[in-house]
Amino acid sequence: MTRPINVTILGSGSWGTTVASLVSGNTPTLLWSRRAEVAEEITSRQTNSRYLGDHRLPASLAATADLADAVARADVLVVGVPTQGIRETLEAAAPHVRPWIPVLSLAKGLEQSTRMRPTDVISECLQGHPVGLLAGPNIAGEILEGKAAAAVIATPDPDIAASLQPLFSSVRFRVYTNTDVLGCELGGVLKNIVAIAAGMADGLGVGVNTSALVISRGLAEITRLGLAMGADPATFSGLTGLGDLIATCMSPRSRNRRVGEELAKGRTIEEAVEVLGQVAEGVKTARSVVELAHEHGVDVPICEEVDAVCNEGRTALQAYRGLVRLRPGSEHDAG
């Protein structure tokens, strides 16, 4: 008899908990929370009220606040903590992680101090492990409500991705594979910044035409940077590129879009984040993305305007005035 595969998810935020709920329908699953009270609530009451309101979680899903025990059990490890907390968490977990087990990232940001992508941070902390990511246009609340969605498992080794597919798939959650880890990861990083811009657009009432301009030109920025860094251009028209961008820019549940809407009301970035009450990766990633783009000689005017709002005190209205002053050239050029 084949032993079941044990999956551990690190991070009990909205997306980490949602992924854990999906996986628990297929195989034994353990969710690690930094907060003992959250772990207790998930295990005993099948809710995570802080992040998911009154959504019911599967009775088969267990949670713990014991990091060492959680990772020691894992045959597959999923890292769902915010990007800026990955290194600290994995440095504490590393002595307890079994050799060679695959590790998937759920994070969509860049480490501020190094500008490293989450998969690179994981590879550095857990050397010798196959590392990839799970990403796509996934709004946690909709998935918990049973609405259809899809995602991509991206790993350099297609056989590993194929072996992981059944663990994350369900009737309403389709999982594809991709070997372009760089492209899939960059799409998730940059779409959060564009979503802040899209939220500002709607908050300012600039109209659907302008929102469409922001999304389409945002995709152009994502693609330009991806190509400059060596990603596959086809990736950016897929689930982790255009798909994730549309979902994050359009959904009223998108944390980054909601930050943009609050900024359009005249709130400071600190006030907007406080109102949100959760991590919006685009806020902490904007400056790192702009620096990375400049390093590769790529123009990213939308990201630059969002960075100025997040880090230099520019208002949402000033950001949009800056964008409309750009002189357009060919659609396939920068700007």
Side-chain angles (χ1 to χ4, degrees):
M1 182 175 177
T2 304
R3 182 177 72 84
I5 296 172
N6 294 308
V7 176
T8 292
I9 288 93
L10 302 181
S12 59
S14 57
W15 184 225
T17 304
T18 299
V19 171
S21 298
L22 286 169
V23 178
S24 68
N26 299 321
T27 197
T29 306
L30 183 61
L31 178 63
W32 173 77
S33 174
R34 193 181 301 275
R35 297 180 176 86
E37 65 274 16
V38 173
E40 172 61 24
E41 180 189 349
I42 291 169
T43 301
S44 63
R45 295 167 50 193
Q46 287 78 56
T47 58
N48 183 347
S49 55
R50 175 180 172 83
Y51 294 102
L52 294 170
D54 58 0
H55 280 294
R56 299 294 296 178
L57 305 174
S60 57
L61 176 61
T64 180
D66 187 333
L67 179 61
D69 180 59
V71 299
R73 299 191 200 185
D75 300 311
V76 175
L77 185 62
V78 181
V79 181
V81 298
T83 302
Q84 309 312 320
I86 290 176
R87 188 178 297 277
E88 178 186 1
T89 302
L90 292 186
E91 285 176 348
H96 311 283
V97 179
R98 294 172 41 231
W100 311 117
I101 67 167
V103 184
L104 291 182
S105 169
L106 303 180
K108 296 179 177 180
L110 295 176
E111 188 177 51
Q112 286 180 294
S113 59
T114 64
R115 298 203 301 272
M116 291 171 66
R117 294 176 286 119
T119 57
D120 289 333
V121 177
I122 294 169
S123 294
E124 192 172 275
C125 294
L126 301 177
Q127 296 182 19
H129 290 264
V131 177
L133 69 143
L134 175 74
N138 304 139
I139 302 299
E142 292 187 4
I143 292 171
L144 286 175
E145 291 164 1
K147 295 175 180 176
V152 171
I153 290 178
T155 68
D157 185 334
D159 292 333
I160 291 177
S163 70
L164 294 174
Q165 266 179 303
L167 300 177
F168 296 86
S169 301
S170 72
V171 173
R172 294 186 179 87
F173 191 73
R174 303 184 68 175
V175 179
Y176 297 80
T177 65
N178 196 322
T179 57
D180 181 20
V181 176
L182 171 62
C184 290
E185 199 160 27
L186 282 177
V189 171
L190 273 75
K191 60 92 182 183
N192 285 328
I193 303 169
V194 180
I196 293 174
M200 291 192 297
D202 281 353
L204 291 170
V206 297
V208 173
N209 291 338
T210 304
S211 295
L213 182 155
V214 169
I215 294 172
S216 57
R217 296 311 299 166
L219 180 62
E221 291 188 17
I222 295 170
T223 305
R224 283 199 300 270
L225 181 57
L227 294 182
M229 295 179 66
D232 182 347
T235 298
F236 300 108
S237 62
L239 288 167
T240 60
L242 178 61
D244 202 359
L245 180 66
I246 291 174
T248 310
C249 287
M250 293 180 62
S251 172
R253 294 177 172 178
S254 163
R255 287 172 287 179
N256 291 280
R257 175 195 161 97
R258 285 161 58 196
V259 165
E261 291 172 338
E262 294 300 325
L263 290 167
K265 295 176 183 177
R267 300 189 194 275
T268 65
I269 188 63
E270 292 80 13
E271 291 168 341
V273 170
E274 184 177 355
V275 168
L276 180 66
Q278 299 184 44
V279 174
E281 292 278 20
V283 174
K284 292 184 177 294
T285 301
R287 175 56 52 90
S288 298
V289 164
V290 169
E291 292 172 350
L292 191 64
H294 291 170
E295 187 177 292
H296 288 273
V298 174
D299 289 325
V300 286
I302 294 173
C303 291
E304 287 174 347
E305 291 295 340
V306 173
D307 171 50
V309 173
C310 290
N311 296 298
E312 297 175 7
R314 191 171 300 180
T315 67
L317 184 59
Q318 288 170 334
Y320 268 82
R321 285 173 175 168
L323 286 173
V324 298
R325 282 197 296 267
L326 291 173
R327 182 177 179 180
S330 166
E331 186 183 14
H332 301 296
D333 293 335

